[in-house]
Amino acid sequence: MTTWYLAYCRPREEGRASLHLRNQGIDSYYPMVEVERICRGQRVKRQEPLFPSYLFVNVDLEQFPANRLNATRGLRHMVRFGAHWTQIPSQLIYSMMSREDCDEQRELLCHLPRCGDKVVISDGIFCGLEALYQEPDGDTRSFLLLELLHNQVRHSIDNRAFAPL
């Protein structure tokens, strides 16, 4: 019977360990959270592990030998207390999975229009002008195609400064 266990990974190698476990037919999970950091003088949002260097592994220890788990690339060792491996309640794992895959996260990923869609600019010096959406410019800005003096101009605008028509 499969049970969730806690594994300790090498620093910043949770993804590598998860990939090698998946190649062996073992499910794993590491919850991600969006954090805002200052990188090279700019505020940047990115996804980072909620528990750095830790990974949850769903495995049946009777069918899969423990030494193969400890030899997986990216993993240092399975966490244990004495002779017993640390078991994690399934409810806790499924609760974290359901919170991570929520409507708010999906809305953040799909709220931008598609290439070629018409938008109206609602803020800034181009307020009230119509434009064509081209592509994202980082996480918080997008390129729009404006027509100014009978010329098409490509301009980067904050995502909150325009709305689809």
Side-chain angles (χ1 to χ4, degrees), residues 1-3 5 58-63:
M1 183 170 135
T2 62
T3 307
Y5 295 98
N58 190 19
V59 66
D60 184 4
L61 291 179
E62 292 178 6
Q63 293 182 356

PDB file of all heavy atoms in Angstrom, residues 1-3 5 58-63:
ATOM      1  N   MET A   1       0.835  -1.180   0.000  1.00  0.00           N
ATOM      2  CA  MET A   1       0.000   0.000   0.000  1.00  0.00           C
ATOM      3  C   MET A   1       0.886   1.254   0.000  1.00  0.00           C
ATOM      4  O   MET A   1       1.817   1.361   0.791  1.00  0.00           O
ATOM      5  CB  MET A   1      -0.886  -0.012   1.247  1.00  0.00           C
ATOM      6  CG  MET A   1      -1.835   1.131   1.311  1.00  0.00           C
ATOM      7  SD  MET A   1      -2.983   0.840   2.638  1.00  0.00           S
ATOM      8  CE  MET A   1      -2.973   2.417   3.372  1.00  0.00           C
ATOM      9  N   THR A   2       0.611   2.186  -0.910  1.00  0.00           N
ATOM     10  CA  THR A   2       1.437   3.385  -1.001  1.00  0.00           C
ATOM     11  C   THR A   2       1.103   4.354   0.130  1.00  0.00           C
ATOM     12  O   THR A   2      -0.043   4.502   0.530  1.00  0.00           O
ATOM     13  CB  THR A   2       1.247   4.103  -2.347  1.00  0.00           C
ATOM     14  OG1 THR A   2      -0.098   4.513  -2.470  1.00  0.00           O
ATOM     15  CG2 THR A   2       1.644   3.211  -3.500  1.00  0.00           C
ATOM     16  N   THR A   3       2.138   5.004   0.616  1.00  0.00           N
ATOM     17  CA  THR A   3       2.029   5.985   1.689  1.00  0.00           C
ATOM     18  C   THR A   3       2.913   7.166   1.321  1.00  0.00           C
ATOM     19  O   THR A   3       3.923   7.010   0.643  1.00  0.00           O
ATOM     20  CB  THR A   3       2.515   5.375   3.020  1.00  0.00           C
ATOM     21  OG1 THR A   3       1.819   4.145   3.236  1.00  0.00           O
ATOM     22  CG2 THR A   3       2.235   6.298   4.186  1.00  0.00           C
ATOM     23  N   TYR A   5       5.686   9.836   2.147  1.00  0.00           N
ATOM     24  CA  TYR A   5       6.846   9.971   3.025  1.00  0.00           C
ATOM     25  C   TYR A   5       7.546  11.290   2.720  1.00  0.00           C
ATOM     26  O   TYR A   5       7.359  11.877   1.654  1.00  0.00           O
ATOM     27  CB  TYR A   5       7.827   8.811   2.825  1.00  0.00           C
ATOM     28  CG  TYR A   5       7.268   7.474   3.219  1.00  0.00           C
ATOM     29  CD1 TYR A   5       6.735   6.617   2.270  1.00  0.00           C
ATOM     30  CD2 TYR A   5       7.269   7.057   4.549  1.00  0.00           C
ATOM     31  CE1 TYR A   5       6.221   5.384   2.622  1.00  0.00           C
ATOM     32  CE2 TYR A   5       6.740   5.834   4.915  1.00  0.00           C
ATOM     33  CZ  TYR A   5       6.223   5.010   3.943  1.00  0.00           C
ATOM     34  OH  TYR A   5       5.706   3.801   4.301  1.00  0.00           O
ATOM     35  N   ASN A  58       5.293   9.403  -2.695  1.00  0.00           N
ATOM     36  CA  ASN A  58       4.226   8.424  -2.511  1.00  0.00           C
ATOM     37  C   ASN A  58       4.713   7.075  -3.027  1.00  0.00           C
ATOM     38  O   ASN A  58       4.810   6.857  -4.231  1.00  0.00           O
ATOM     39  CB  ASN A  58       2.973   8.877  -3.262  1.00  0.00           C
ATOM     40  CG  ASN A  58       1.772   8.034  -2.930  1.00  0.00           C
ATOM     41  OD1 ASN A  58       1.731   7.355  -1.922  1.00  0.00           O
ATOM     42  ND2 ASN A  58       0.782   8.095  -3.789  1.00  0.00           N
ATOM     43  N   VAL A  59       5.030   6.166  -2.095  1.00  0.00           N
ATOM     44  CA  VAL A  59       5.658   4.906  -2.484  1.00  0.00           C
ATOM     45  C   VAL A  59       5.219   3.786  -1.544  1.00  0.00           C
ATOM     46  O   VAL A  59       4.861   4.023  -0.385  1.00  0.00           O
ATOM     47  CB  VAL A  59       7.201   5.055  -2.472  1.00  0.00           C
ATOM     48  CG1 VAL A  59       7.722   5.295  -1.089  1.00  0.00           C
ATOM     49  CG2 VAL A  59       7.891   3.889  -3.121  1.00  0.00           C
ATOM     50  N   ASP A  60       5.241   2.569  -2.058  1.00  0.00           N
ATOM     51  CA  ASP A  60       5.024   1.376  -1.248  1.00  0.00           C
ATOM     52  C   ASP A  60       6.388   0.789  -0.928  1.00  0.00           C
ATOM     53  O   ASP A  60       7.074   0.270  -1.810  1.00  0.00           O
ATOM     54  CB  ASP A  60       4.174   0.367  -2.012  1.00  0.00           C
ATOM     55  CG  ASP A  60       3.834  -0.866  -1.190  1.00  0.00           C
ATOM     56  OD1 ASP A  60       4.198  -0.907   0.012  1.00  0.00           O
ATOM     57  OD2 ASP A  60       3.203  -1.782  -1.744  1.00  0.00           O
ATOM     58  N   LEU A  61       6.809   0.887   0.324  1.00  0.00           N
ATOM     59  CA  LEU A  61       8.158   0.448   0.706  1.00  0.00           C
ATOM     60  C   LEU A  61       8.340  -1.061   0.640  1.00  0.00           C
ATOM     61  O   LEU A  61       9.473  -1.533   0.573  1.00  0.00           O
ATOM     62  CB  LEU A  61       8.490   0.957   2.102  1.00  0.00           C
ATOM     63  CG  LEU A  61       8.669   2.474   2.208  1.00  0.00           C
ATOM     64  CD1 LEU A  61       8.973   2.865   3.642  1.00  0.00           C
ATOM     65  CD2 LEU A  61       9.760   2.950   1.287  1.00  0.00           C
ATOM     66  N   GLU A  62       7.264  -1.822   0.644  1.00  0.00           N
ATOM     67  CA  GLU A  62       7.389  -3.275   0.542  1.00  0.00           C
ATOM     68  C   GLU A  62       7.745  -3.698  -0.881  1.00  0.00           C
ATOM     69  O   GLU A  62       8.408  -4.705  -1.087  1.00  0.00           O
ATOM     70  CB  GLU A  62       6.097  -3.951   0.992  1.00  0.00           C
ATOM     71  CG  GLU A  62       5.833  -3.790   2.477  1.00  0.00           C
ATOM     72  CD  GLU A  62       4.519  -4.429   2.893  1.00  0.00           C
ATOM     73  OE1 GLU A  62       3.874  -5.098   2.052  1.00  0.00           O
ATOM     74  OE2 GLU A  62       4.148  -4.253   4.058  1.00  0.00           O
ATOM     75  N   GLN A  63       7.304  -2.925  -1.883  1.00  0.00           N
ATOM     76  CA  GLN A  63       7.588  -3.270  -3.271  1.00  0.00           C
ATOM     77  C   GLN A  63       8.795  -2.528  -3.826  1.00  0.00           C
ATOM     78  O   GLN A  63       9.389  -2.954  -4.814  1.00  0.00           O
ATOM     79  CB  GLN A  63       6.372  -2.964  -4.150  1.00  0.00           C
ATOM     80  CG  GLN A  63       5.187  -3.841  -3.847  1.00  0.00           C
ATOM     81  CD  GLN A  63       4.018  -3.538  -4.772  1.00  0.00           C
ATOM     82  OE1 GLN A  63       4.090  -2.627  -5.585  1.00  0.00           O
ATOM     83  NE2 GLN A  63       2.960  -4.310  -4.644  1.00  0.00           N
TER      84      GLN A  63
END
